[in-house]
Amino acid sequence: MFELIPLSRAKKDVQYRVIDMKGGRSANQRLSDLGLYKGALITVEGSIFGPILVRVLDSKVAIGRGLAQKVYVEAIA
Amino acid sequence: MKRSTIALVGNPNVGKSTLFNRITGHQQKIGNWPGKTVEIKEGKNKITDDGITFIDLPGVYSIEANSPEERVANDYIEKKKPDCTIQVIDSTNLERNLYLTTQLLEKDLNLILALNMTDKAERKGICIDEKKLSALLGVKAIKISSKKGIGVKELITQCSKIDDIEDSKKDKKILEELGLKAKSLSPKHRYDVISRVASLVLKKPRCIKSRSAQIDKIVAHPILGLPIFLFVMWLVFQASFSLAEPFTALLEDSLASLSALSTELILSSGLPSIFASLISDGVIGGVGSVLVFLPNILLLFLFLLILEDSGYFARIAMITDSLMQKIGLEGKAFIPLVLGFGCNVPAIMATKVLEDERERLITILINPFMSCSARFPIYVLFAGTFFASDQGLVILSLYLIGIFMAILSAFLLRRMLFKKSAPPSLLIELPPYRVPTFCTIARQTYFKGLLFVKKAGMFILSISLLIWFLASMPLGVEYASEQSLIGSIGKLIAPALAPCGFGQWEPTVALMFGAGAKEVVVSSLGTLYGAGEEGLSSAISTHFTPLSAYSFMLFSLLYMPCFAAIAAIRKESGDAKWAIFTVLYTTSIAWTVSTLFYQLAIFFGFA
């Protein structure tokens, strides 16, 4: 079993699965609209000037550090 | 042809506007959804010219009614029941786009999927089996390229072929098969359905090479990103002002000759001179002072649209977000605020990019504190006269005070109106970089400009006429003189401005004129002191002290914005009460700050 970490601490170029989102209802809904739902596969592309850059489905999404701390992910081997 | 309205929905950045423009050409109407500030564009089909009306709904990721845009898109589909709904889909990002599709499928709609950017997808090696997709979802899917015009005609023809009854029956069966019939599905459930569908219809290379990733390596580089961003901002301002200059000069010249011509015509026709003054001072002078900013407004808007369309806008929001969060705002508010240094009108219109209604309102309300270019001549005159050696520093201090008041106001408004302490965290899609479609952008700029002139025009004209009336009555007085109504009002109000250090009627009246357009403060002072442009500097040096001059600049910076900006606030906030609030709030701030400055300075013996 891999360790559960907040997205803000995820490593670059590693694939993760979203396990939990604790940003509140409206933030979770906005995340889901962009393809970040519980169970989604994502790749972290790096952090630029604070926000975390995430590749999800075929798009790129920037997530503020505050919100990224509330999204829990697990690395995929 | 029985069908009359077709609505376009889709995610942001899928080429929906380009498709809409291709179908409707020049005949477009922009309207607002009742009670909301979200724009809905309407136009007649000119491709097959069959009288069908196309509706361009705002770009949304879902229709579960989070943002004003989503609410409007949802309300439109549910209440107006368009005869056919086209979802425009970015073929290079099919799965994410299908999320909205799963929501649309649950509604009672005649849905058609337009798989846009099909040429781009093919170049990337992405292959979509649209026939299979149609069969699986029970709705027609057509490959198109709105940029190149491929498949658009077929799309329109298909819309007219939909047979409602049969299709909706079929829909239900298919939905059950897909597992989309249950109520309030979780996002995971929807995405599971999507990935099942995608596995059957979508073939894509394991690794998609993207030009955007290459560009982002430079543009969103931790070190290079900042100078590039500053350069782009500088370019936007430099270009919009130098490009606007010839047009502004031309407008000024033509307005001046128009004014002279009308005066001559009226006087030669034997009408009393008051009519000549009404036309030249009231109508042409008043409306003209706002009109001369139109080139600037349009150019700033053009650049804003280019930034948005190219995909760089989202990067700016990302780059500035940390900084903006520190001062209690979000990254998306950065551009609307910075544009305010050019002109508050397009800046206020640019707040549309903020999805959160409250953030949008806060950004609108604090925008007037961003010192627009029309206030610059006031600073140049006063700082040049009283602080010649430290001119630059004095002017810079005003800009910084403006920014500080904006930040402070954002904090206060958030606490008092919304009882919240922090803006939402950044969450934004970084769309692929694109070369903006020139036609689409030019057209949007044109419509924005037209809309603004139409909406604000009557308001500005009536205020101009009111000011003219006050300056010309009672009959026979010299225009805007001490004996005129505005002079009397100025004298009445002046004592209230005495604590600020400039309690005479002339500066008071100049500030009243400045409400029409801020740069008018300078020319009004010239008229009021009977000095003209050359003698103005020496005239104000006898009427002001360095302290009262700085206090006057502070007041000019902070007091109510011009009527054009007020009209923009009223339109973008969707409620006249916010326009009135702005007038009262900014003017009381101006009075308080100027008074505090002047009185404290005197108290500490700087007089």
Side-chain angles (χ1 to χ4, degrees), chain A residues 3-12 16 44 52 65 68-69 71 73:
Chain A
E3 188 193 1
L4 209 58
I5 54 165
L7 181 58
S8 52
R9 279 185 24 222
K11 288 193 188 71
K12 208 180 154 185
Y16 291 93
V44 174
I52 315 285
R65 197 156 275 276
Q69 280 164 352
V71 175
V73 297

Side-chain angles (χ1 to χ4, degrees), chain A residues 17 25-39 45 47-53 55-68, chain B residues 61-62 64 66 70 92-93 95-96 99 103 187-188 191 204 208 212-213 216 220-222 225-226 315 318-319 321-322 332 355 424-430:
Chain A
R17 185 185 294 282
R25 210 180 63 91
S26 124
N28 287 356
Q29 202 165 16
R30 287 201 306 145
L31 285 163
S32 303
D33 292 347
L34 291 171
L36 287 127
Y37 56 96
K38 282 183 203 176
E45 287 209 343
S47 159
I48 293 140
F49 302 106
I52 315 285
L53 209 56
R55 177 155 279 283
V56 51
L57 297 174
D58 286 312
S59 60
K60 237 193 274 187
V61 175
I63 305 173
R65 197 156 275 276
L67 187 57
Chain B
Y61 291 108
S62 99
E64 299 202 315
N66 264 323
E70 288 171 23
T92 65
N93 192 3
E95 288 154 283
R96 219 275 317 287
Y99 187 67
Q103 296 177 348
K188 176 161 172 36
Y191 280 112
K204 58 182 179 185
I208 297 171
S212 285
D216 263 340
H221 186 274
L226 205 62
R315 273 78 181 178
M318 176 180 73
I319 291 172
D321 191 65
S322 299
K332 286 174 203 163
E355 288 124 26
S425 189
L426 177 80
L427 184 58
I428 195 168
E429 183 188 1
L430 303 180

Side-chain angles (χ1 to χ4, degrees), chain B residues 168-187:
Chain B
S168 56
K169 263 188 202 153
K170 200 169 68 192
D171 276 351
K172 278 183 191 126
K173 233 180 85 196
I174 282 175
L175 283 182
E176 271 163 35
E177 279 167 27
L178 280 171
L180 282 176
K181 211 54 206 141
K183 275 207 177 106
S184 60
L185 289 170
S186 72

